[in-house]
Amino acid sequence: MADILSLKEAALVYLDRSGGLQKLVEDCKPFSDPGQVEAVYRLCVSVNPSDVIEVDPVLGDCVLHNPLAATALFKSVCFLAIKTLSLVEKIHTESQVNVILKLTHLPPFPEYTLDLCSFPRGYGPVRPVSMEGLVIALTRVTKYTQGARFLCVNDDCPCSTGFHHIRVHAPGATESATVGNNFSCMICSYPLKEDVKFRVLGDKQLVELIHVKALDGLSAYQQSSLRYQSVTLFLRDELCNSMRIGRLYRVLGIPAHVHQWPSITWSVEANSVQPWEPEYPHKVSASFQKLLKSTAGSPWRFSAVVAHFFGSDVAPPGLYNTLKLGLLLSLVQTRSDEKDTFHNLDLLVVTTDTLIPDRLMMYSLALACRGVRHQASGEMFASLSKDQHGTGTANIHAGSALLASGGICMLGDLGCYKKDRLDAIQSVFFHPTDFFSVLESCTVSVFIPGKKYGEDADQQLSFPVQCSFWALTESTDASRRSGRADYAILGTAEMGPVPLQLADAFGLVIQCKDMAGEQALLAQTVHTLQQAVHPGKPLYSSCWEFSTQDYKELVAHAQSLQVELTPEAEKIIHGYYMASRRVRTQSQGVKMSVASIKLLISLAEAHCKLCLRTRVLEEDAVIAVLLCENSVTLKHGASALVIPPDAVFPCDLGDVDGLHKRDVTLDELHQNILRFIYAYAPGADAYITEQ
């Protein structure tokens, strides 16, 4: 008895020092309403285990290893404080106080960490643990019973009135454990009957959490024999809607075994939830630092060499350079900024042979912080099922796009999609959202029929889609297939099965056109054979050698850079947009949407970050304009700004002379862009001189 009194005294001292008593006073004010009479009054108490241990080690040990007993101690202290300070006159017994201990953190030791990969999960101590994982499914918010009042059926028993028998929810308890009909009076053993008008309801939501490494199996780049199993979290009351599908979280919770005859489910009652991001290396390797110094004289050379040697495990240097640059730009631009605004760069590749571009995309997917390859037969955004934990409500499962939140969702070859799947992507996947509007609005809506899932009304939920989409399609020779070469628009590419509206939804379209013919085919063949015969051995003699890890660290570092537009770059972007909008509207009837400006800025910022700078220069804007103009030309035909099909890489970069020749060519194209802006952009003479 003395030990319990000592622990209660320690709990009171902690509440006084931590400001918990003042918070208790504030939390009790809403309960003073005379018209509000409830059986149970719920109070949340914030507990810092480190501070509790400093006050009383025994109490701290109780909080960490016997949370139910610790809750009872704080409940008793809170009840005494409420009665002593006369905070709530309607509270008559200690059982009417429902205290929830909210832990701020746990000690950073393995004993308090639950690895979602570890098995078996047997009967262990019921104590709080910390875990990190990815949300792959969640339910709608439903109701559960926080507490209920029971009265003895024996009128002569003192428990036939008052608040003597109060049952509250405990971790791992089912609904029947709180409001069952087989309870007996503790005084006379007569049956108890619930006073339904005093039942207190709360909100409940179920979430499926899985280890983040499970996504490695969805990238399909490195297959693993491991299998991962998700864990069911119970979120209650203020924690409902605190987790978003496709996001990573650190959860403090209490494991529990939920008994639902004839099965037992292992689950976790969440205590606190915080967003979590794993730490990625943000350093730049010595090889890239050396390259940065040697190319400091040109704002274009560093990114050119980086793209030239990128993916050398898949394709020899010099082939698919524009595609490699586009993949790197998309990787470094796909991120959320400090204001939680998501930035993305979607990419559609048009090629005559999808094999090598597909491999390059898969190689690049492994460099993303999160990469998911979508299967043509799978769900793109979300799917519905009935919850299996007794509620019967709708369980929303994440599709590929939601699982790839914050990273890349690779759609693969659109030619492999069945017609109905491709039509579903373009038209209505979940009414009223189609794939085009998903790319534009970055949200997807899920329609939940109420009748099917036990609700009176239908419901429509919206989820943010925060990833970049990669796709490729095999082009065909339209003039050869139709025999009408005279009617083809100059510069356009046949998109295969991809409708023009869907192509417009992708920001950047890149055509992988084999300009070298048999020579490029021979180079790729020799590269593949040498990789098979001498795996892991350097295939090319060069002063520059960059490993996959070097590129992964470079991408992570470039992503973290905060950049700003210079006035010179802004003038180029604005002027090109106005001039192109005017020319294409008049000659082709094509409307350049405001999304084009967003694409231009994204490309310029991405190129700036890839060059490890923090200020977007005029030269970055030139690269953005060239990529954007080539992309628009592939979809709608050439304009008055005449540039070569592969304007960003107009020559071979095998030596220093090639880099110098490229700089000269880009300078000439820079002047062509300025002339185009001066000639067609309204008011361009105010900021661009004719000279």
PDB file of all heavy atoms in Angstrom, residues 403-424:
ATOM      1  N   LEU A 403       1.291   3.820 -53.621  1.00  0.00           N
ATOM      2  CA  LEU A 403       2.449   3.207 -52.968  1.00  0.00           C
ATOM      3  C   LEU A 403       3.736   3.933 -53.320  1.00  0.00           C
ATOM      4  O   LEU A 403       4.701   3.916 -52.556  1.00  0.00           O
ATOM      5  CB  LEU A 403       2.566   1.734 -53.377  1.00  0.00           C
ATOM      6  CG  LEU A 403       1.525   0.778 -52.804  1.00  0.00           C
ATOM      7  CD1 LEU A 403       1.702  -0.608 -53.389  1.00  0.00           C
ATOM      8  CD2 LEU A 403       1.607   0.714 -51.282  1.00  0.00           C
ATOM      9  N   ALA A 404       3.749   4.582 -54.483  1.00  0.00           N
ATOM     10  CA  ALA A 404       4.952   5.290 -54.938  1.00  0.00           C
ATOM     11  C   ALA A 404       5.002   6.731 -54.452  1.00  0.00           C
ATOM     12  O   ALA A 404       5.773   7.527 -54.985  1.00  0.00           O
ATOM     13  CB  ALA A 404       5.019   5.254 -56.460  1.00  0.00           C
ATOM     14  N   SER A 405       4.198   7.095 -53.466  1.00  0.00           N
ATOM     15  CA  SER A 405       4.148   8.480 -52.990  1.00  0.00           C
ATOM     16  C   SER A 405       5.544   8.980 -52.619  1.00  0.00           C
ATOM     17  O   SER A 405       6.279   8.334 -51.877  1.00  0.00           O
ATOM     18  CB  SER A 405       3.240   8.586 -51.761  1.00  0.00           C
ATOM     19  OG  SER A 405       1.907   8.308 -52.108  1.00  0.00           O
ATOM     20  N   GLY A 406       5.887  10.145 -53.182  1.00  0.00           N
ATOM     21  CA  GLY A 406       7.200  10.719 -52.939  1.00  0.00           C
ATOM     22  C   GLY A 406       8.285  10.175 -53.834  1.00  0.00           C
ATOM     23  O   GLY A 406       9.447  10.568 -53.710  1.00  0.00           O
ATOM     24  N   GLY A 407       7.931   9.291 -54.771  1.00  0.00           N
ATOM     25  CA  GLY A 407       8.922   8.680 -55.645  1.00  0.00           C
ATOM     26  C   GLY A 407       8.423   8.560 -57.068  1.00  0.00           C
ATOM     27  O   GLY A 407       7.748   9.441 -57.590  1.00  0.00           O
ATOM     28  N   ILE A 408       8.742   7.433 -57.695  1.00  0.00           N
ATOM     29  CA  ILE A 408       8.466   7.211 -59.110  1.00  0.00           C
ATOM     30  C   ILE A 408       7.522   6.025 -59.265  1.00  0.00           C
ATOM     31  O   ILE A 408       7.725   4.976 -58.648  1.00  0.00           O
ATOM     32  CB  ILE A 408       9.756   6.932 -59.898  1.00  0.00           C
ATOM     33  CG1 ILE A 408      10.803   8.012 -59.626  1.00  0.00           C
ATOM     34  CG2 ILE A 408       9.455   6.814 -61.387  1.00  0.00           C
ATOM     35  CD1 ILE A 408      10.448   9.383 -60.114  1.00  0.00           C
ATOM     36  N   CYS A 409       6.502   6.189 -60.090  1.00  0.00           N
ATOM     37  CA  CYS A 409       5.625   5.083 -60.490  1.00  0.00           C
ATOM     38  C   CYS A 409       5.879   4.820 -61.972  1.00  0.00           C
ATOM     39  O   CYS A 409       5.565   5.649 -62.828  1.00  0.00           O
ATOM     40  CB  CYS A 409       4.162   5.418 -60.251  1.00  0.00           C
ATOM     41  SG  CYS A 409       3.021   4.090 -60.760  1.00  0.00           S
ATOM     42  N   MET A 410       6.454   3.686 -62.275  1.00  0.00           N
ATOM     43  CA  MET A 410       6.787   3.340 -63.653  1.00  0.00           C
ATOM     44  C   MET A 410       5.672   2.491 -64.245  1.00  0.00           C
ATOM     45  O   MET A 410       5.384   1.396 -63.766  1.00  0.00           O
ATOM     46  CB  MET A 410       8.116   2.590 -63.697  1.00  0.00           C
ATOM     47  CG  MET A 410       8.521   2.184 -65.096  1.00  0.00           C
ATOM     48  SD  MET A 410      10.100   1.319 -65.096  1.00  0.00           S
ATOM     49  CE  MET A 410      10.115   0.684 -66.771  1.00  0.00           C
ATOM     50  N   LEU A 411       5.062   2.999 -65.290  1.00  0.00           N
ATOM     51  CA  LEU A 411       3.962   2.288 -65.934  1.00  0.00           C
ATOM     52  C   LEU A 411       4.453   1.264 -66.934  1.00  0.00           C
ATOM     53  O   LEU A 411       3.701   0.375 -67.334  1.00  0.00           O
ATOM     54  CB  LEU A 411       3.033   3.286 -66.638  1.00  0.00           C
ATOM     55  CG  LEU A 411       2.453   4.402 -65.768  1.00  0.00           C
ATOM     56  CD1 LEU A 411       1.526   5.282 -66.586  1.00  0.00           C
ATOM     57  CD2 LEU A 411       1.727   3.836 -64.561  1.00  0.00           C
ATOM     58  N   GLY A 412       5.707   1.387 -67.386  1.00  0.00           N
ATOM     59  CA  GLY A 412       6.230   0.438 -68.355  1.00  0.00           C
ATOM     60  C   GLY A 412       5.742   0.727 -69.758  1.00  0.00           C
ATOM     61  O   GLY A 412       5.347   1.849 -70.094  1.00  0.00           O
ATOM     62  N   ASP A 413       5.749  -0.306 -70.584  1.00  0.00           N
ATOM     63  CA  ASP A 413       5.350  -0.185 -71.985  1.00  0.00           C
ATOM     64  C   ASP A 413       3.829  -0.139 -72.076  1.00  0.00           C
ATOM     65  O   ASP A 413       3.150  -1.115 -71.761  1.00  0.00           O
ATOM     66  CB  ASP A 413       5.904  -1.364 -72.779  1.00  0.00           C
ATOM     67  CG  ASP A 413       5.643  -1.233 -74.271  1.00  0.00           C
ATOM     68  OD1 ASP A 413       5.063  -0.202 -74.695  1.00  0.00           O
ATOM     69  OD2 ASP A 413       6.008  -2.159 -75.017  1.00  0.00           O
ATOM     70  N   LEU A 414       3.303   1.001 -72.511  1.00  0.00           N
ATOM     71  CA  LEU A 414       1.849   1.137 -72.633  1.00  0.00           C
ATOM     72  C   LEU A 414       1.289   0.241 -73.721  1.00  0.00           C
ATOM     73  O   LEU A 414       0.087  -0.026 -73.748  1.00  0.00           O
ATOM     74  CB  LEU A 414       1.487   2.598 -72.910  1.00  0.00           C
ATOM     75  CG  LEU A 414       1.862   3.600 -71.812  1.00  0.00           C
ATOM     76  CD1 LEU A 414       1.431   5.005 -72.199  1.00  0.00           C
ATOM     77  CD2 LEU A 414       1.254   3.208 -70.477  1.00  0.00           C
ATOM     78  N   GLY A 415       2.145  -0.224 -74.631  1.00  0.00           N
ATOM     79  CA  GLY A 415       1.679  -1.152 -75.656  1.00  0.00           C
ATOM     80  C   GLY A 415       1.332  -2.516 -75.107  1.00  0.00           C
ATOM     81  O   GLY A 415       0.653  -3.295 -75.776  1.00  0.00           O
ATOM     82  N   CYS A 416       1.796  -2.841 -73.884  1.00  0.00           N
ATOM     83  CA  CYS A 416       1.477  -4.132 -73.259  1.00  0.00           C
ATOM     84  C   CYS A 416       0.137  -4.106 -72.533  1.00  0.00           C
ATOM     85  O   CYS A 416      -0.323  -5.147 -72.055  1.00  0.00           O
ATOM     86  CB  CYS A 416       2.583  -4.526 -72.280  1.00  0.00           C
ATOM     87  SG  CYS A 416       4.189  -4.787 -73.045  1.00  0.00           S
ATOM     88  N   TYR A 417      -0.468  -2.931 -72.437  1.00  0.00           N
ATOM     89  CA  TYR A 417      -1.750  -2.827 -71.751  1.00  0.00           C
ATOM     90  C   TYR A 417      -2.866  -3.277 -72.688  1.00  0.00           C
ATOM     91  O   TYR A 417      -2.869  -2.941 -73.875  1.00  0.00           O
ATOM     92  CB  TYR A 417      -2.015  -1.379 -71.309  1.00  0.00           C
ATOM     93  CG  TYR A 417      -1.211  -0.936 -70.114  1.00  0.00           C
ATOM     94  CD1 TYR A 417       0.173  -0.877 -70.163  1.00  0.00           C
ATOM     95  CD2 TYR A 417      -1.830  -0.573 -68.931  1.00  0.00           C
ATOM     96  CE1 TYR A 417       0.921  -0.473 -69.071  1.00  0.00           C
ATOM     97  CE2 TYR A 417      -1.088  -0.161 -67.830  1.00  0.00           C
ATOM     98  CZ  TYR A 417       0.285  -0.120 -67.915  1.00  0.00           C
ATOM     99  OH  TYR A 417       1.012   0.279 -66.832  1.00  0.00           O
ATOM    100  N   LYS A 418      -3.816  -4.032 -72.143  1.00  0.00           N
ATOM    101  CA  LYS A 418      -4.988  -4.375 -72.935  1.00  0.00           C
ATOM    102  C   LYS A 418      -5.801  -3.114 -73.216  1.00  0.00           C
ATOM    103  O   LYS A 418      -5.716  -2.131 -72.493  1.00  0.00           O
ATOM    104  CB  LYS A 418      -5.844  -5.399 -72.195  1.00  0.00           C
ATOM    105  CG  LYS A 418      -5.176  -6.763 -72.044  1.00  0.00           C
ATOM    106  CD  LYS A 418      -6.097  -7.752 -71.361  1.00  0.00           C
ATOM    107  CE  LYS A 418      -5.433  -9.123 -71.228  1.00  0.00           C
ATOM    108  NZ  LYS A 418      -6.323 -10.098 -70.543  1.00  0.00           N
ATOM    109  N   LYS A 419      -6.583  -3.183 -74.257  1.00  0.00           N
ATOM    110  CA  LYS A 419      -7.321  -1.994 -74.685  1.00  0.00           C
ATOM    111  C   LYS A 419      -8.239  -1.480 -73.587  1.00  0.00           C
ATOM    112  O   LYS A 419      -8.353  -0.276 -73.366  1.00  0.00           O
ATOM    113  CB  LYS A 419      -8.131  -2.300 -75.945  1.00  0.00           C
ATOM    114  CG  LYS A 419      -8.818  -1.066 -76.540  1.00  0.00           C
ATOM    115  CD  LYS A 419      -9.578  -1.421 -77.796  1.00  0.00           C
ATOM    116  CE  LYS A 419     -10.181  -0.161 -78.419  1.00  0.00           C
ATOM    117  NZ  LYS A 419     -11.073   0.566 -77.507  1.00  0.00           N
ATOM    118  N   ASP A 420      -8.897  -2.406 -72.867  1.00  0.00           N
ATOM    119  CA  ASP A 420      -9.813  -1.940 -71.826  1.00  0.00           C
ATOM    120  C   ASP A 420      -9.045  -1.265 -70.689  1.00  0.00           C
ATOM    121  O   ASP A 420      -9.517  -0.288 -70.108  1.00  0.00           O
ATOM    122  CB  ASP A 420     -10.651  -3.110 -71.289  1.00  0.00           C
ATOM    123  CG  ASP A 420      -9.792  -4.231 -70.736  1.00  0.00           C
ATOM    124  OD1 ASP A 420      -8.590  -4.283 -71.100  1.00  0.00           O
ATOM    125  OD2 ASP A 420     -10.290  -5.051 -69.967  1.00  0.00           O
ATOM    126  N   ARG A 421      -7.825  -1.757 -70.371  1.00  0.00           N
ATOM    127  CA  ARG A 421      -7.027  -1.127 -69.334  1.00  0.00           C
ATOM    128  C   ARG A 421      -6.559   0.257 -69.775  1.00  0.00           C
ATOM    129  O   ARG A 421      -6.578   1.212 -69.002  1.00  0.00           O
ATOM    130  CB  ARG A 421      -5.810  -2.000 -69.011  1.00  0.00           C
ATOM    131  CG  ARG A 421      -6.145  -3.218 -68.196  1.00  0.00           C
ATOM    132  CD  ARG A 421      -6.263  -2.872 -66.737  1.00  0.00           C
ATOM    133  NE  ARG A 421      -6.685  -4.014 -65.941  1.00  0.00           N
ATOM    134  CZ  ARG A 421      -6.779  -4.008 -64.628  1.00  0.00           C
ATOM    135  NH1 ARG A 421      -6.497  -2.904 -63.968  1.00  0.00           N
ATOM    136  NH2 ARG A 421      -7.181  -5.064 -63.973  1.00  0.00           N
ATOM    137  N   LEU A 422      -6.133   0.359 -71.034  1.00  0.00           N
ATOM    138  CA  LEU A 422      -5.683   1.644 -71.542  1.00  0.00           C
ATOM    139  C   LEU A 422      -6.831   2.636 -71.604  1.00  0.00           C
ATOM    140  O   LEU A 422      -6.682   3.816 -71.282  1.00  0.00           O
ATOM    141  CB  LEU A 422      -5.056   1.469 -72.926  1.00  0.00           C
ATOM    142  CG  LEU A 422      -4.078   2.546 -73.378  1.00  0.00           C
ATOM    143  CD1 LEU A 422      -2.924   2.675 -72.403  1.00  0.00           C
ATOM    144  CD2 LEU A 422      -3.565   2.250 -74.777  1.00  0.00           C
ATOM    145  N   ASP A 423      -8.008   2.132 -72.001  1.00  0.00           N
ATOM    146  CA  ASP A 423      -9.189   2.998 -72.016  1.00  0.00           C
ATOM    147  C   ASP A 423      -9.560   3.435 -70.604  1.00  0.00           C
ATOM    148  O   ASP A 423      -9.983   4.575 -70.385  1.00  0.00           O
ATOM    149  CB  ASP A 423     -10.372   2.271 -72.666  1.00  0.00           C
ATOM    150  CG  ASP A 423     -10.162   2.057 -74.159  1.00  0.00           C
ATOM    151  OD1 ASP A 423      -9.302   2.751 -74.739  1.00  0.00           O
ATOM    152  OD2 ASP A 423     -10.847   1.186 -74.735  1.00  0.00           O
ATOM    153  N   ALA A 424      -9.393   2.506 -69.649  1.00  0.00           N
ATOM    154  CA  ALA A 424      -9.733   2.849 -68.263  1.00  0.00           C
ATOM    155  C   ALA A 424      -8.782   3.907 -67.715  1.00  0.00           C
ATOM    156  O   ALA A 424      -9.186   4.793 -66.959  1.00  0.00           O
ATOM    157  CB  ALA A 424      -9.682   1.600 -67.381  1.00  0.00           C
TER     158      ALA A 424
END
